[in-house]
Amino acid sequence: MEKLKVIIADDHPIVLLGVRELMERDERFEIVGEAVCSRDLVQLLETRHVDLIITDYNMPGSSPYGDGLKLVEYIKRNFPHPQILILTVISNSLILARLHELGVVGVIQKNQLHEEIQLALRAIAQKSAHRSHTSLIRSVPESNVAIDERISTLSPKEFEILRLFVSGKSVSDIARTQNRSSKTISAQKISAMRKLDVQSDLDLLTYCIGRNLFN
């Protein structure tokens, strides 16, 4: 049986070591490269034939390829053959749903790495997708309905503030155009993010841009 060629990408040495040890005990897979940042990962993909990428969602550095959704979208666009298995501590249903839409083969929560990765590798070897019992299986089936419901809870002002923010304007820029104080705009932005269950500006930007919410 021909082994599936794998690249592992994670900036945490312990995680990298743990995944490597698990993979080396599975004769169905062969590790052909390791990366600690997205730039290294893309360089490996440019020079090696790969069947599976196991990568952390959050990667360090200022690589032009970014990390998270931006990196997954880049890989899917430029290297369509490899399957992608995501390792993460993120449980936000918006982000998990978008990863599913992009076609990742599975998402594994890092605090359940040892329990989940064996199941994921078995599913991948059998050419099927892995659905984590604690992440995608809970968020994806209702993702579109849940997202639409959350967006519908935004007030017109909150929606407009998010639209301007995603377009590249800062809170102070928005405050000037809306003739409001920066404190007021910031409070409305935070309220909108809370309704969408988004924890950071990066998650907000990558998700909204990825789904073309404001186009």
Side-chain angles (χ1 to χ4, degrees), residues 43-142:
Q43 289 176 347
L44 286 171
L45 291 171
E46 290 173 340
T47 59
R48 304 184 188 185
H49 172 75
V50 180
D51 300 301
L52 174 64
I53 302 164
I54 302 176
T55 180
D56 192 1
Y57 182 84
N58 295 104
M59 297 287 274
S62 56
S63 164
Y65 311 111
D67 65 350
L69 294 176
K70 180 179 178 181
L71 176 61
V72 173
E73 289 169 351
Y74 180 86
I75 293 173
K76 281 292 184 180
R77 186 167 56 251
N78 293 278
F79 306 96
H81 172 70
Q83 298 184 87
I84 303 175
L85 181 64
I86 299 292
L87 309 179
T88 187
V89 296
I90 292 174
S91 59
N92 183 280
S93 60
L94 297 178
I95 303 302
L96 295 174
R98 179 58 182 159
L99 287 170
H100 173 73
E101 291 171 352
L102 288 171
V104 303
V105 72
V107 177
I108 295 177
Q109 298 293 319
K110 283 192 171 183
N111 61 0
Q112 298 179 339
L113 179 62
H114 290 283
E115 295 87 350
E116 289 283 345
I117 197 166
Q118 299 285 11
L119 297 173
L121 294 178
R122 186 181 304 121
I124 291 166
Q126 295 172 351
K127 303 185 184 303
S128 62
H130 171 66
R131 294 289 176 260
S132 168
H133 292 292
T134 59
S135 58
L136 288 181
I137 201 167
R138 187 172 61 235
S139 65
V140 168
E142 298 179 347

Side-chain angles (χ1 to χ4, degrees), residues 10-12 36-39 56 58-63 66-67:
D10 199 298
D11 64 308
H12 294 86
V36 296
C37 66
S38 58
R39 185 187 299 273
D56 192 1
N58 295 104
M59 297 287 274
S62 56
S63 164
D67 65 350

Side-chain angles (χ1 to χ4, degrees), residues 181-195:
S181 70
S182 294
K183 183 177 180 180
T184 297
I185 297 299
S186 179
Q188 290 176 325
K189 173 174 165 285
I190 291 171
S191 174
M193 291 174 67
R194 188 179 299 116
K195 289 178 180 179

Side-chain angles (χ1 to χ4, degrees), residues 156-171:
K157 288 183 179 179
E158 290 170 344
F159 190 88
E160 179 64 8
I161 288 168
L162 290 189
R163 185 187 69 80
L164 293 170
F165 181 73
V166 170
S167 73
K169 295 185 182 298
S170 67
V171 168

